[in-house]
Amino acid sequence: MPDYGFNPRKNCDTVRDGGDRVDVLTVTVKGILARRGKILFGKNPAGDWELPGGRHEAGESLEETLIREFREETGLSIRVERLLDVRVAEILPQRPLLFVTYAVDSTSADDDSPTASEEHTELAWLPETEIYDSLAEPYRAALEAYWRQGQYRWTSERVGRLRRLQVPISVGLEVAADDHP
């Protein structure tokens, strides 16, 4: 059995499939929506910033889950662009989740003013480099995947952060003109 860093028999939900016990991970699907060098984050009731998205429901594709959750949490309509990251992580101790993160694009006419649902105390467009260190591990990993795929205009601050993180920056390196005098 692969080493996932946790014991699935101990740490996962158990369901019955006929007479058999089946251990399952809860799947949560998140999206990175970027605008003008900032990413949309929601502040949860615990005061932590997280990416919009939520729990996968039976009968939905992962993309359908993300589209539904994004609409519920932000009021925005999105198009799922591409898969960025998949990982098992624990936000709450002993409760592993399977995080699936996609890059998304807004199809809403007014995407500058998302509306927070009861799941978030606020929504904000934030520069990822300012809050990176305070994010939970699956969100940091998703941002790193986004950076590696060259979806941002690279500033010297981002390049410096990626070098400190030892993330390869050879793909799509374009230093923003406004970052230099």
Side-chain angles (χ1 to χ4, degrees):
M1 173 184 256
D3 179 17
Y4 296 109
F6 67 95
N7 179 346
R9 297 258 182 248
K10 178 180 175 189
N11 301 123
C12 297
D13 293 329
T14 301
V15 297
R16 294 222 176 259
D17 181 17
D20 297 329
R21 287 175 33 131
V22 179
D23 296 318
V24 295
L25 280 172
T26 299
V27 177
T28 184
V29 188
K30 301 292 184 172
I32 292 180
L33 176 60
R35 284 285 173 272
R36 293 181 279 289
K38 297 180 179 181
I39 294 176
L40 183 61
F41 285 95
K43 187 177 275 190
N44 65 29
D48 299 319
W49 290 105
E50 61 185 14
L51 294 169
R55 180 177 268 189
H56 177 257
E57 292 182 2
E60 289 181 321
S61 70
L62 295 174
E63 293 85 356
E64 289 168 337
T65 296
L66 185 55
I67 290 166
R68 175 184 52 78
E69 286 284 347
F70 230 92
R71 169 71 84 180
E72 289 173 6
E73 292 183 9
T74 69
L76 299 177
S77 296
I78 59 162
R79 176 180 53 248
V80 177
E81 296 288 321
R82 72 194 169 289
L83 180 65
L84 292 172
D85 191 60
V86 177
R87 71 186 48 245
V88 174
E90 288 184 8
I91 300 296
L92 299 174
Q94 304 299 311
R95 298 301 304 164
L97 298 170
L98 178 63
F99 282 84
V100 181
T101 307
Y102 289 90
V104 303
D105 192 24
S106 175
T107 60
S108 294
D110 182 20
D111 61 7
D112 288 332
S113 304
T115 306
S117 71
E118 68 279 353
E119 295 182 40
H120 294 112
T121 58
E122 70 177 291
L123 295 174
W125 294 97
L126 302 172
E128 83 289 347
T129 53
E130 288 181 17
I131 67 165
Y132 176 88
D133 292 329
S134 68
L135 294 174
E137 186 270 335
Y139 305 125
R140 291 192 312 264
L143 284 174
E144 291 167 20
Y146 197 67
W147 294 336
R148 280 192 304 270
Q149 292 184 17
Q151 297 306 306
Y152 271 136
R153 291 178 54 84
W154 294 82
T155 63
S156 58
E157 180 181 6
R158 286 191 185 106
V159 170
R161 176 172 292 285
L162 292 174
R163 285 189 177 131
R164 285 191 301 279
L165 295 171
Q166 299 180 345
V167 173
I169 58 171
S170 59
V171 178
L173 182 60
E174 175 187 335
V175 178
D178 61 353
D179 195 45
H180 298 281

